[in-house]
Amino acid sequence: MPVIAQPAVAVTDAVESRRPVAASVSTPVPAHVAIIMDGNGRWAASRGLPRVAGHREGAQAVRRTVESAIRNGVGWLTIYAFSSENWRRPHSEIVDLTGLLRRYLKSEIRELDKNGVRLRFIGDRQRFDPDIQADLAKAERETQGNKRLNLTIALSYGARAEIAAAARAAAAAVKAGQLDPAALVEDVFEGFLHTAGTPDPDLIIRTSGEKRLSNFLLWQAAYAELIFLDVLWPDFNDSHFTAALAEFGRRERRFGARSA
Ligand code: FPP
């Protein structure tokens, strides 16, 4: 286990300043960890199982990871559960994934709520069936008072679509005379993103050995530390999570400045 410290900057400060979290003297714990959960299909294929078995095990890994994040004092966790490109998968796999999401929303909310987890969803939720959209809204509503862990699940999410939508919204505000184009600086533009009010990720982990961001949090990842692990998502556990936090603690974050 790494030395556990409070996030280097109080989470509220990070949100207010909209700046990434700076390193502290003790081993810093990232305030915000984001994860690209990859490798469910390969996990299943290596066992001769259908892909859905990998996704089911992947949902178990999500549960473990939420517990690890809470135990390690991480305040924000964002997971990439379904990309806007995933709609191109065969219909049967989409049915499996949305079915899993439906069950997750029904079965986990009480436990998440009990553990002080606040849920948010980013992405184009209107592409999901109305019953799922209603469950997403209910989960957000019922957990909105929780403060221990902010869990954001990216669903039907694509960073380019998010940035384009933010640009459209900002342009509409300018056209309506509500925003001076000269005032559209970075902090203001961030307010139009799905992640408005969320600190940028300090650490992004991708499992399965692939080394790319795949249209995930492209704006927000500007100063994130990236860790790529050779473990398939369904096998991801607390020891991988704590090892990634320890590796994060060894990185020097300069945000473009020079080291001390
Ligand atoms: C990537 O693996 C994973 C996904 C596209 C789905 C992620 C879903 C889960 C982890 C489970 C559901 C989560 C919730 C919150 C209910 P892949 O299928 O692309 O794997 P491969 O690259 O090995 O084929």
Side-chain angles (χ1 to χ4, degrees):
M1 293 273 284
V3 176
I4 302 306
Q6 286 304 304
V9 169
V11 165
T12 45
D13 293 348
V15 174
E16 277 158 21
S17 71
R18 306 293 308 141
R19 282 194 308 275
V21 172
S24 72
V25 226
S26 60
T27 305
V29 171
H32 184 175
V33 177
I35 306 184
I36 302 173
M37 311 182 289
D38 196 13
N40 294 353
R42 277 163 281 171
W43 183 93
S46 70
R47 287 163 175 76
L49 297 170
R51 292 179 64 84
V52 66
H55 295 317
R56 266 192 228 115
E57 279 302 308
Q60 294 295 341
V62 168
R63 287 185 191 104
R64 287 196 295 274
T65 305
V66 166
E67 286 166 17
S68 297
I70 292 175
R71 214 175 13 254
N72 284 287
V74 169
W76 299 76
L77 176 69
T78 298
I79 54 175
Y80 203 5
F82 196 90
S83 74
S84 34
E85 289 71 34
N86 286 154
W87 291 109
R88 294 189 202 133
R89 292 195 177 195
H91 181 67
S92 58
E93 187 168 352
I94 289 174
V95 170
D96 288 339
L97 279 166
T98 50
L100 205 53
L101 175 63
R102 256 191 199 94
R103 285 197 294 283
Y104 182 85
L105 289 169
K106 297 255 185 279
S107 65
E108 298 296 305
I109 298 309
R110 204 159 303 142
E111 193 64 18
L112 290 170
D113 192 29
K114 210 170 75 193
N115 288 325
V117 178
R118 177 175 182 171
L119 263 164
R120 288 184 180 84
F121 302 94
I122 54 171
D124 181 7
R125 63 178 79 186
Q126 295 189 345
R127 290 192 72 175
F128 291 99
D129 289 342
D131 68 303
I132 294 187
Q133 289 184 45
D135 284 347
L136 298 177
K138 183 163 173 264
E140 286 181 329
R141 211 172 41 243
E142 289 183 357
T143 62
Q144 65 185 351
N146 295 337
K147 297 208 175 345
R148 202 160 171 207
L149 173 70
N150 290 278
L151 173 62
T152 301
I153 305 185
L155 292 171
S156 189
Y157 173 84
R160 287 184 171 183
E162 176 192 31
I163 294 167
R168 279 194 300 280
V174 168
K175 194 174 173 195
Q178 296 155 350
L179 179 65
D180 176 355
L184 190 56
V185 294
E186 290 179 20
D187 284 2
V188 174
F189 186 75
E190 279 171 349
F192 290 99
L193 295 171
H194 297 176
T195 51
T198 302
D200 288 340
D202 302 292
L203 168 63
I204 297 181
I205 300 170
R206 181 174 188 145
T207 58
S208 93
E210 308 286 356
K211 296 182 179 63
R212 52 181 175 267
L213 287 178
S214 298
N215 207 11
F216 184 50
L217 301 179
L218 296 184
W219 172 285
Q220 299 86 343
Y223 285 100
E225 293 297 323
L226 307 180
I227 293 184
F228 300 101
L229 297 177
D230 275 328
V231 58
L232 300 173
W233 176 250
D235 290 327
F236 187 82
N237 61 31
D238 186 58
S239 63
H240 300 114
F241 192 79
T242 51
L245 295 191
E247 164 65 19
F248 173 85
R250 288 190 290 273
R251 301 260 179 108
E252 187 193 13
R253 304 185 76 201
R254 294 194 298 275
F255 305 109
R258 286 171 52 185
S259 49

